[in-house]
Amino acid sequence: MERVLSISFGEIALKGKNRKYFEDKLISRIKKAIEGTDYKRIYKEQGKIYIESLEDDIAPVIARLRKVFGIVYISPCIRVEKDMEEIEKAVIKIMEEKKAKATVNTFKVKTNRVDKNFPMKSPDISRKMGGVILKNIDGIRVDLHNPDTYLFIDIKQKVYVYTDRVEGYGGLPVGTNGRGLLLLSGGIDSPVAGFLMAKRGLEISGIHFHSYPFTSERAEEKVKELARILTSYTGRMKLYSVNILEIQKEISAKCPEDEMTILSRRFMMRIAEKVAQRENIDVLITGESLGQVASQTVQGLTVTNAAVDMPILRPLVGLDKAEIIEIAKDIETYETSILPYDDCCTLFLPKHPVTKPILADIERSEGNIAIDLLVNRALENMKVYDID
Ligand code: ATP
Ligand code: MG
């Protein structure tokens, strides 16, 4: 009788020829996530991944695994040989444990006979093990329609018995879908955008723009902390930190006040694109959401796009603020995001920003400033942090 964790992965099982690639990536992500914990072996068996021999308190291990994208659910199992007596013992033990930690008055057994050579059919196994439970556990009944708990039995090369399915986020393992550079402000939206794209398999790096000494060091610390929280999902990430105070001063001195936001956003895109090209990153990611603020109109987003050739992914584009906040709370970036340190954009904030910028006008304004020079200077002073 051995304790193992079973890991189910949904979407990646559908990937045909790529399946092995995705599974191997998932396994390497799992290994990283549980690094330093006491496990003996990870193996695949017919559509699931199993982790063998874990420490007694597996709750922290499960908490880490929940954050590995690609995992649909995780189950603590007892593994036994294909032997009826062994299976019975495992069934009783798992059920006793379940009863000790939750109110369980009713149950239903579900058997999945993957090994078709096993002599007994699934419904017969379920019926037999149901009987075993009724005989050995006090005060419990069968309810086939709405049981308090299921008891699962998977018959494979070995037999796995379990009751719980701890949900993961699903998605695809980080690193299976190219690389993205996340424009990470200190706000609520951009960390959520990074989370959602990482969940689709993008490997994420971050870039942050600040206006030190007009913005504080604590504002930068806050962004580092947000990046650190994201790494619990994405694994280690690089964070680029760029001072754009000089650029903002230049815009403020030479361009119409109401274009400040859109002009600085275009500079952010240019700088981000340069960094991305240098680092072999394929796309930019922002936390923009259609209509959320004056700069995020269709025209605003179009003029922002026009500053660069690289595609910009905006996973929040169709979400409401309330929906974004819900995700931010769930992924635990919210509390950090709402800390009150100033972001560089609040400094030169125009009273009435243009809501429908026209590209030709914006480009005319930019004619007054030495774009390449300013971009290069900002890049020269860029700092890089390794967040883990
Ligand atoms: P957030 O909550 O992510 O700050 P927001 O609703 O405040 O978003 P804006 O400030 O208009 O919206 O920024 C839109 C997007 O532009 C952000 O989601 C982020 O991707 C990017 N961005 C804005 N400011 C910065 C910054 N200082 N550094 C890096 N990226 C930024
Ligand atoms: Mg912001």
Side-chain angles (χ1 to χ4, degrees), residues 183-185 187-190 207-209 265 268 286-288 292-293 295-296 321 343-345:
L183 280 80
L184 187 60
S185 69
I188 295 168
D189 303 331
S190 42
I207 185 165
H208 174 64
F209 301 97
R265 187 62 36 82
M268 289 183 189
T286 75
E288 289 162 308
Q292 195 188 86
V293 291
S295 58
Q296 296 174 23
K321 194 75 187 186
D343 182 90
C344 63
C345 301

Side-chain angles (χ1 to χ4, degrees), residues 45-272:
E45 191 182 333
Q46 292 160 303
K48 284 191 189 181
I49 293 166
Y50 295 90
I51 308 177
E52 216 174 55
S53 179
L54 296 135
E55 25 215 285
D56 290 338
D57 184 11
I58 51 165
V61 180
I62 293 178
R64 288 203 216 172
L65 287 170
R66 272 197 71 232
K67 296 182 169 183
V68 175
F69 296 133
I71 294 180
V72 177
Y73 51 81
I74 306 150
S75 299
C77 311
I78 290 181
R79 187 188 70 193
V80 292
E81 299 300 326
K82 269 185 289 201
D83 169 288
M84 269 306 176
E85 237 171 80
E86 290 265 304
I87 299 172
E88 280 181 27
K89 277 190 214 153
V91 163
I92 296 167
K93 185 146 190 65
I94 283 277
M95 212 54 189
E96 280 171 349
E97 286 174 1
K98 179 72 185 177
K99 265 214 112 185
K101 62 181 189 214
T103 316
V104 180
N105 295 316
T106 58
F107 74 99
K108 175 179 178 176
V109 180
K110 268 194 172 177
T111 305
N112 181 14
R113 191 179 58 134
V114 179
D115 174 10
K116 298 297 178 205
N117 293 322
F118 193 76
M120 211 174 189
K121 293 216 164 113
S122 297
D124 300 332
I125 301 167
S126 293
R127 211 169 304 121
K128 182 168 168 56
M129 291 303 154
V132 167
I133 292 169
L134 290 172
K135 206 170 96 193
N136 288 277
I137 311 271
D138 288 340
I140 201 162
R141 295 174 281 117
V142 173
D143 182 342
L144 297 181
H145 303 293
N146 190 23
D148 293 339
T149 188
Y150 284 95
L151 181 121
F152 300 98
I153 305 174
D154 293 351
I155 314 264
K156 300 181 167 181
Q157 272 154 291
K158 307 254 181 183
V159 177
Y160 301 88
V161 182
Y162 55 100
T163 51
D164 292 355
R165 289 178 163 180
V166 182
E167 270 185 47
Y169 285 102
L172 299 163
V174 169
T176 54
N177 257 330
R179 308 180 66 203
L181 182 58
L182 171 67
L183 280 80
L184 187 60
S185 69
I188 295 168
D189 303 331
S190 42
V192 173
F195 168 85
L196 289 176
M197 291 325 304
K199 183 170 166 246
R200 298 308 304 163
L202 263 190
E203 189 182 322
I204 305 279
S205 303
I207 185 165
H208 174 64
F209 301 97
H210 64 87
S211 319
Y212 187 79
F214 281 41
T215 52
S216 66
E217 262 165 43
R218 294 177 76 179
E220 191 177 47
E221 283 307 314
K222 171 180 162 180
V223 173
K224 279 195 204 164
E225 175 59 16
L226 288 171
R228 203 192 54 74
I229 298 170
L230 282 178
T231 60
S232 67
Y233 304 91
T234 62
R236 179 182 208 150
M237 84 156 83
K238 276 200 172 147
L239 178 66
Y240 303 91
S241 178
V242 184
N243 192 325
I244 54 165
L245 181 58
E246 189 189 11
I247 292 173
Q248 290 178 305
K249 282 182 171 166
E250 192 71 4
I251 297 172
S252 164
K254 297 191 177 152
C255 304
E257 192 210 350
D258 63 351
E259 293 175 359
M260 182 71 209
T261 310
I262 185 80
L263 288 169
S264 39
R265 187 62 36 82
R266 277 164 64 86
F267 268 97
M268 289 183 189
M269 292 301 164
R270 290 188 184 103
I271 295 168

Side-chain angles (χ1 to χ4, degrees), residues 7 56 72 76 94 275 316 331:
I7 292 176
D56 290 338
V72 177
I94 283 277
V275 173
L316 309 187
I331 66 173

